[in-house]
Amino acid sequence: MQDEAYFLGIDVGTQGVRVVLIDVNGELLFEEGNVFQLNEQSRQEQSPAEWWQCCETLIKKMVMELSDKLNVSSIKSVGVTSTSGTVIPLDANHQPLHGAIMYSDKRSEEAGKSCIEAFKTNHNKGFGGFNSSSGLAKMVWFVQTYPEKAARLAKWIHAADFITGKLSGQWGITDYTNAFKSGYDVSALNWPNYISEKLGIKKGWLPQVLASGAVIGGIDVQLAETLGLSSSTLVTVGLTDGCASQIAAGAIKPGDWNTTIGTTLVLKGVTKSEIIDPLNRIYSHKHAMGTYWMPGGASNTGADWISTQFANTDLNALNKSAAQLIPMGKIVYPLLQKGERFPILAPQAYGFGGDDLNEEEKFAASMEGVAYLERYAYELAEHLSGENVDVVYTAGGASNSEVWLKIRSAVLNKKIVKMKYVSGGVGAAILSASKTYFENIIAAVAKLTIVEKEVTPDATLVKTYQESYQQFLQEFVERGFITKEEIYA
């Protein structure tokens, strides 16, 4: 009989902190969050102390609520996830010298340009897209803007690293995914020299980088007593929110990919080899097992057109109508802003189609248009990697639409799988279990994810959508978004 075991996950997001606890079968025993006010200031900087206070409050509440049925010594591990690109400067006593500089803070835009130039001139290998949302750009900006604070700087860490530091008492440790946008070379597994030699970020400031999920110690003994936890619970190195959601969604083996459709469409998968994209549409994280890669890309297209164009409409009624209308045979590309970054790199791109359709028809055709873009993204991934996309997992608000799942499965001509729990906190909990209780992350995902739904391609739709997809690509060619040579299948 298997021992009683639980795994704790903490998600520090832009708008709040969430704590989850799952059991050895992947069932959710506890999930609760604290929300803090989001404003222009908090989009730039936030208080790590406030994050930690939220964590303490939620963990204590969890222990209290589950006191009659939970042996805290059975909580085997804890993992943390947070936003990619958010960084914190610490002094020698592990205290923040400044608020957490958020990924959404655009003040580091010019510093990012300096980082890109230094990368291209001195390294030019791996990820070099250091825009204002990258950790490296924020480090350079801070040193330039606050030289008096930089003089007292001892270590740069990421948002997730702060929480793991508070839990374990072990500081200055990060993981592959968080270090990625701070300039760490995940292929060579080192901090490139140009970061210190050209950008003024001292090597001693940079954290030690471990594989995501690596154990860094137990919960600090005094803290464990304060929280009502056991010091035998192991603290593991965390990961970024996007990668945590990918784990929770189930896409963890080579050939597995996940599509999250929320405001935007985000693809993340697993390949045996690193994807090198000369246009930087796709970048590759290092897989937790070290031998595989986790490539991904984010589009400007997603489901934001629903909240913008159908805000005052009954969505259930629209979905029911769409189920009767598909396949539409009309091409609609529902990009709301100008410019696209993935899977096409086209700053001139714009949305089109649907002017001759009524509201119900445009809704259905727009769902199809997003599915066509998703298919093109997977064909790009297969083209660049030389590897097949075998199964598509899904998350995000769009995965709650039955008809949209049906459309996407038929357009992709692939099975789509939706898991029961797909939050970042669950992904962090699963990751923490991967090196503390299971053999590896693949074994942990197999045991700790629960399939809620599987959708297989409707044969009656596949052929029609194949023809419509070719029309979609032709529209892209004619409008100059892609060339004929960029049609990969």
Side-chain angles (χ1 to χ4, degrees), residues 358-384:
N358 64 34
E359 187 175 61
E360 294 175 340
E361 292 169 338
K362 187 173 182 179
F363 184 83
S366 295
M367 287 194 291
E368 291 174 337
V370 175
Y372 298 144
L373 192 74
E374 181 183 7
R375 174 168 169 175
Y376 183 78
Y378 281 124
E379 289 177 355
L380 172 66
E382 290 184 329
H383 169 74
L384 291 174

Side-chain angles (χ1 to χ4, degrees), residues 94-254:
H94 318 305
Q95 298 301 308
L97 286 164
H98 194 84
I101 308 170
M102 299 297 292
Y103 72 97
S104 48
D105 181 2
K106 298 187 183 303
R107 292 175 295 176
S108 53
E109 186 174 354
E110 288 302 315
K113 294 177 182 177
S114 300
C115 294
I116 292 172
E117 182 59 32
F119 168 82
K120 289 181 177 178
T121 305
N122 301 280
H123 194 66
N124 204 27
K125 181 171 69 71
F127 177 78
F130 300 113
N131 56 27
S132 63
S133 66
S134 69
L136 184 59
K138 297 180 188 310
M139 294 178 194
V140 172
W141 170 83
F142 177 83
V143 171
Q144 293 172 343
T145 307
Y146 299 99
E148 72 288 353
K149 290 184 179 181
R152 295 187 287 128
L153 207 160
K155 194 70 67 175
W156 279 105
I157 63 169
H158 305 90
D161 308 336
F162 181 80
I163 304 302
T164 57
K166 295 291 285 187
L167 286 166
S168 66
Q170 304 296 315
W171 294 90
I173 302 172
T174 193
D175 76 289
Y176 292 153
T177 66
N178 274 295
F180 184 69
K181 289 188 178 180
S182 291
Y184 186 75
D185 188 329
V186 293
S187 181
L189 300 181
N190 62 30
W191 292 103
N193 290 331
Y194 80 91
I195 294 176
S196 56
E197 294 174 357
K198 302 298 180 181
L199 296 174
I201 304 300
K202 296 179 182 179
K203 283 214 168 185
W205 290 346
L206 298 169
Q208 178 186 3
V209 184
L210 302 178
S212 303
V215 176
I216 56 176
I219 294 180
D220 177 82
V221 175
Q222 289 185 335
L223 177 65
E225 185 175 346
T226 299
L227 296 177
L229 295 176
S230 169
S231 59
S232 66
T233 298
L234 297 174
V235 181
T236 61
V237 179
L239 77 171
T240 58
D241 49 4
C243 292
S245 296
Q246 177 182 343
I247 289 172
I252 202 62
K253 304 187 306 296

Side-chain angles (χ1 to χ4, degrees), residues 333 344 352 472-482:
Y333 175 42
I344 63 173
F352 61 82
F472 178 82
L473 294 180
Q474 188 58 39
E475 285 278 1
F476 269 28
V477 171
E478 291 177 359
R479 295 170 188 269
F481 298 173
I482 62 174

Side-chain angles (χ1 to χ4, degrees), residues 257-260 265-269 295-299 342 374 377-378 381:
W257 283 76
N258 174 69
T259 304
T260 299
L265 179 149
V266 179
L267 267 66
K268 288 183 175 292
S299 174
F342 173 80
E374 181 183 7
Y378 281 124

Side-chain angles (χ1 to χ4, degrees), residues 443-477:
V445 167
K447 181 64 176 177
L448 299 178
T449 54
I450 302 169
V451 175
E452 181 181 278
K453 185 178 300 180
E454 293 186 354
V455 180
T456 54
D458 183 332
T460 61
L461 292 174
V462 170
K463 183 178 180 181
T464 302
Y465 278 141
Q466 168 64 18
E467 295 171 356
S468 295
Y469 175 63
Q470 296 304 320
Q471 295 174 20
F472 178 82
L473 294 180
Q474 188 58 39
E475 285 278 1
F476 269 28
V477 171

Side-chain angles (χ1 to χ4, degrees), residues 363-423:
F363 184 83
S366 295
M367 287 194 291
E368 291 174 337
V370 175
Y372 298 144
L373 192 74
E374 181 183 7
R375 174 168 169 175
Y376 183 78
Y378 281 124
E379 289 177 355
L380 172 66
E382 290 184 329
H383 169 74
L384 291 174
S385 68
E387 301 177 31
N388 292 331
V389 174
D390 297 324
V391 181
V392 173
Y393 295 81
T394 193
S399 63
N400 296 320
S401 169
E402 298 280 351
V403 66
W404 208 346
L405 289 173
K406 184 176 183 178
I407 290 168
R408 291 170 54 205
S409 178
V411 169
L412 299 175
N413 197 19
K414 296 182 186 298
K415 180 173 71 173
I416 294 181
V417 181
K418 180 185 178 185
M419 294 300 181
K420 186 176 181 180
Y421 307 116
V422 292
S423 71

